[in-house]
Amino acid sequence: MLARVLVAPLILLFSLGLTAQTATSQDSPTLTTADPATVGMSAERLARIDEMLTTAIEEDEVPGAVALVARRGKIVYHKAFGEASADGEELEAGAIFRIASQTKAITSTAVMMLWEQGLFQLDDPIAKYLPMFAETGVLDTLYEDGTFETRPVSTPITIRHLITHTSGLGYGVIDGDPRFRRMYEAAGVTDLFTTEDISIEESVRKLATLPLHHDPGTKYTYSEGLDVLGYFIEVMSGMPLDEYFRTHIFEPLGMADTWFYLPESKADRLVSIQRPTDDSWENFPTTFYDPDYPIKGAQRFFSGGAGLSSTAEDYATFLQMYLNEGELNGTRLLSRTTVQAILSNQIGRLRGEGADYGLAFGLVNEVGESMGGKSSAGSFEWGGYFNTQYFADPEEELIGILMKQTQGTSKDQTSWKFRILVGAAIDD
């Protein structure tokens, strides 16, 4: 199926002679380590992160964590604490974590790289490129037997709606509405991760038969829109999603440890997902997904919304490209003007007063900045299902990444504490 749909876009790309990443006269260096004082950071204050994470592990908030702080293109803090598995394996700074929804920003970046080539407009209906969405309607009634009725949408789903979580699509097993959890399960939609022999195209086609929460553009509903766009990238580029990412993002940026499915040589660096017991931690069992999906199974489901695994340093490299306005190490992935659009609010106040959403990230606005502990207005941020978090502050040229792998814990306070401690370590 994929080869047939991809022919026209592939011919278009070849005929235009287009490539995604390009050389540039700008030449920001790759991330390197430096003494904190050289970039206006306090080593003494950064050491508070040591104390905070050590205490959190002692008090069973988390079993382990890797923290990274970078400023002005220099890594000033990168340490590991605790254990990588319930078997007592020591966690190392170069460990690989399932980053889940941190994948979304990378998928969004790929969409915008293709957009820069003039292949589509953001307000084009997605059905123009994925016709299976032409008849998608809004849920009206769900009956006891699982059948449903819909009403027509007031406006078609656009690429912009999908990238900003305003399409009305749901999120299956993690959806807040039990009706949508039921419908997605019955239809066999693969929501997050799998070891099963299924492609993202197959799952998206099932998703397109289901109703929406609401009319596109009217509400913010966290969704599988980035999985749809993962398949859209395949259609528009003529490449499987994993190959597109590796060729046009990971290799140009030097992100050698970021994969949908880890090579055998890297598998032993994958951190185990853990959950708390009465008095310790245990490795998370298989539920609706196998926790070992990055290293076993069919390995052909490339989820644009949740599928990648990575390291703290690799993800910091990706964020540094954004702080450099689209360029790193002499390679430009996005233009400065495109980055400005990506980091601009796209959805009004649909997420509430303190947070906006752009074309790849959640954004801190002026209200969020004034509340304290959230970095400067314009900072961009997100996290992942397995308890990973990141933020980047363009005004302060600052990156903070905190990687953990847990499920089922309610005690963890490390995320908000880490963000406060990173900001408080600025010393210029």
Side-chain angles (χ1 to χ4, degrees), residues 145-156:
D145 64 358
T147 59
F148 52 82
E149 292 185 9
T150 64
R151 63 168 176 80
V153 294
S154 62
T155 185

Side-chain angles (χ1 to χ4, degrees), residues 15-324:
S15 66
L16 295 177
L18 297 173
T19 56
Q21 73 279 10
T22 56
T24 173
S25 59
Q26 306 300 309
D27 193 9
S28 303
T30 53
L31 287 170
T32 54
T33 58
D35 183 88
T38 63
V39 290
M41 299 290 285
S42 165
E44 183 178 1
R45 284 174 169 249
L46 286 170
R48 294 173 179 172
I49 300 171
D50 296 44
E51 181 180 355
M52 183 270 290
L53 290 175
T54 299
T55 301
I57 292 167
E58 291 173 350
E59 297 181 355
D60 287 329
E61 290 184 38
V62 293
V66 171
L68 183 149
V69 180
R71 193 174 194 212
R72 298 173 186 163
K74 301 296 182 182
I75 297 172
V76 296
Y77 185 99
H78 187 195
K79 295 184 181 182
F81 300 83
E83 297 179 349
S85 75
D87 303 322
E89 179 186 355
E90 183 180 358
L91 187 59
E92 298 182 356
I96 296 175
F97 294 78
R98 301 159 192 80
I99 62 171
S101 285
Q102 292 186 203
T103 304
K104 289 179 170 66
I106 294 173
T107 302
S108 300
T109 298
V111 170
M112 297 307 293
M113 291 170 74
L114 290 167
W115 174 80
E116 283 195 331
Q117 297 173 30
L119 300 181
F120 54 87
Q121 298 184 82
L122 291 176
D123 294 316
D124 283 346
I126 189 63
K128 180 177 179 180
Y129 308 97
L130 305 181
M132 69 281 284
F133 284 96
E135 302 300 323
T136 304
V138 177
L139 179 65
D140 183 71
T141 307
L142 175 64
Y143 296 102
E144 286 298 322
D145 64 358
T147 59
F148 52 82
E149 292 185 9
T150 64
R151 63 168 176 80
V153 294
S154 62
T155 185
I157 300 171
T158 66
I159 296 164
R160 192 187 305 271
H161 292 145
L162 291 167
I163 210 169
T164 58
H165 300 289
T166 59
S167 67
L169 290 172
Y171 222 140
V173 72
I174 63 170
D175 201 287
D177 188 327
R179 299 174 302 169
F180 282 81
R181 293 198 296 271
R182 178 183 172 190
M183 287 187 290
Y184 277 48
E185 181 179 11
V189 174
T190 303
D191 297 309
L192 300 166
F193 341 94
T194 187
T195 54
E196 301 301 317
D197 189 11
I198 186 173
S199 70
I200 195 66
E201 177 190 358
E202 293 171 275
S203 188
V204 167
R205 286 187 177 278
K206 294 174 183 178
L207 179 62
T209 68
L210 300 177
L212 304 177
H213 279 264
H214 51 75
D215 284 308
T218 60
K219 295 181 182 179
Y220 174 91
T221 302
Y222 200 49
S223 78
E224 294 189 41
L226 273 299
D227 282 308
V228 175
L229 289 174
Y231 176 50
F232 169 76
I233 291 166
E234 293 190 335
V235 169
M236 299 306 294
S237 70
M239 301 174 70
L241 189 61
D242 63 332
E243 291 184 21
Y244 188 88
F245 281 1
R246 184 136 314 277
T247 302
H248 296 293
I249 298 176
F250 301 154
E251 288 180 353
L253 294 181
M255 296 170 64
D257 289 327
T258 305
W259 298 79
F260 281 105
Y261 299 102
L262 298 178
E264 187 176 347
S265 61
K266 297 178 185 288
D268 62 351
R269 293 165 55 194
L270 181 68
V271 179
S272 296
I273 303 165
Q274 296 184 61
R275 68 178 181 182
T277 64
D278 289 339
D279 57 359
S280 62
W281 295 86
E282 66 179 6
N283 292 333
F284 197 74
T286 297
T287 55
F288 69 90
Y289 65 93
D290 186 326
D292 287 332
Y293 66 86
I295 57 175
K296 64 189 291 188
Q299 300 192 359
R300 57 185 290 260
F301 184 73
F302 306 127
S303 169
L308 289 172
S309 296
S310 188
T311 63
E313 186 166 353
D314 261 19
Y315 210 82
T317 297
F318 171 70
L319 297 178
Q320 188 63 48
M321 179 272 293
Y322 268 94
L323 291 185
N324 295 347

